[in-house]
Amino acid sequence: NAGVTQTPKFRVLKTGQSMTLLCAQDMNHEYMYWYRQDPGMGLRLIHYSVGEGTTAKGEVPDGYNVSRLKKQNFLLGLESAAPSQTSVYFCASRPGQGLSGANVLTFGAGSRLTVL
Amino acid sequence: KNQVEQSPQSLIILEGKNCTLQCNYTVSPFSNLRWYKQDTGRGPVSLTIMTFSENTKSNGRYTATLDADTKQSSLHITASQLSDSASYICVVSVGGRSGTALIFGKGTTLSVSS
């Protein structure tokens, strides 16, 4: 039972490079989220999706893009990485509204990104 | 503005001692409140959920309380163990919405020493 899997776990980029973080869940969850976690800031929502083919902006969306082409996958892209995007990124998912366990998030283990 | 404030920011206690973490929220309309535990280098894991009608709920050595009138919740850890060292995050759900309707606190970092 894998739950939420994030790849890669670690990555170092140079300023201006692009990359994609992959999040995969095997629980048939409708909702998926990308957060970043920085010291003293807590978890902040970047983008989220309430279903396949849908995405929406969260609290800190600038500099990031996302796609949800398949229900089980949620991709987070950085088109031109900046040092301010150095952070730990967490993906999370949960069932749709009204379903059992709808309010509990299942998180991935995190992806640590460093931008030089 | 919907906000969740946690205190203290960090806490150090000796193994075997008890401690209480606080969460104050200004979220409306309130749906429920959940406590997560985040071990170093891992993603948060749910400990317990509190709904509007619940005052106290226990999960092993963890006991959560909720006072909906004062908009406060606490997480009490009894007979602490080294494995309790982690960050504890309070998350409040906004009622009647979906998607972004989760307001996160910044967490309390607990260190249990032997």
Side-chain angles (χ1 to χ4, degrees):
Chain A
N1 187 4
V4 176
T5 302
Q6 293 182 227
T7 53
K9 288 183 170 48
F10 302 93
R11 184 73 187 270
V12 178
L13 290 177
K14 294 181 179 179
T15 297
Q17 287 185 318
S18 64
M19 74 156 296
T20 300
L21 297 177
L22 171 64
C23 176
Q25 53 95 2
D26 60 1
M27 298 168 287
N28 201 36
H29 285 173
E30 287 293 333
Y31 297 170
M32 296 188 74
Y33 305 80
W34 275 108
Y35 294 91
R36 61 177 289 173
Q37 187 174 41
D38 303 291
M41 300 293 292
L43 285 155
R44 292 183 292 169
L45 182 65
I46 304 171
H47 285 279
Y48 66 99
S49 168
V50 299
E52 180 179 315
T54 73
T55 63
K57 294 180 180 180
E59 180 185 358
V60 288
D62 293 342
Y64 305 95
N65 57 76
V66 288
S67 64
R68 183 108 181 260
L69 299 179
K70 295 183 178 180
K71 185 177 183 178
Q72 64 267 33
N73 296 336
F74 195 28
L75 278 63
L76 177 70
L78 286 72
E79 293 181 345
S80 180
S84 61
Q85 293 177 305
T86 293
S87 186
V88 181
Y89 293 84
F90 286 97
C91 177
S93 70
R94 65 179 174 121
Q97 288 296 103
L99 297 177
S100 175
N103 288 311
V104 58
L105 289 170
T106 300
F107 284 86
S111 297
R112 183 175 294 275
L113 175 64
T114 301
V115 183
L116 303 176
Chain B
K1 180 181 178 182
N2 289 326
Q3 283 187 315
V4 175
E5 300 285 344
Q6 291 188 245
S7 62
Q9 185 174 3
S10 62
L11 183 62
I12 302 173
I13 62 173
L14 289 175
E15 187 178 14
K17 298 297 185 182
N18 303 336
C19 67
T20 300
L21 314 180
Q22 299 289 343
C23 174
N24 297 340
Y25 61 91
T26 54
V27 174
S28 181
F30 173 87
S31 177
N32 60 66
L33 182 149
R34 189 178 292 273
W35 285 92
Y36 287 82
K37 179 187 180 188
Q38 184 178 19
D39 293 316
T40 301
R42 316 198 80 163
V45 176
S46 176
L47 280 175
T48 186
I49 182 172
M50 305 294 291
T51 59
F52 187 83
S53 59
E54 295 174 313
N55 298 117
T56 304
K57 184 179 287 186
S58 293
N59 178 5
R61 294 180 297 102
Y62 299 98
T63 299
T65 65
L66 176 67
D67 185 332
D69 292 331
T70 61
K71 298 186 178 181
Q72 295 179 327
S73 177
S74 65
L75 181 68
H76 185 74
I77 303 175
T78 303
S80 61
Q81 301 176 358
L82 297 178
S83 59
D84 293 329
S85 295
S87 178
Y88 293 84
I89 303 169
C90 176
V91 182
V92 179
S93 292
V94 181
R97 294 170 57 191
S98 63
T100 59
L102 298 172
I103 312 300
F104 284 74
K106 293 181 179 180
T108 293
T109 300
L110 173 65
S111 298
V112 180
S113 60
S114 58

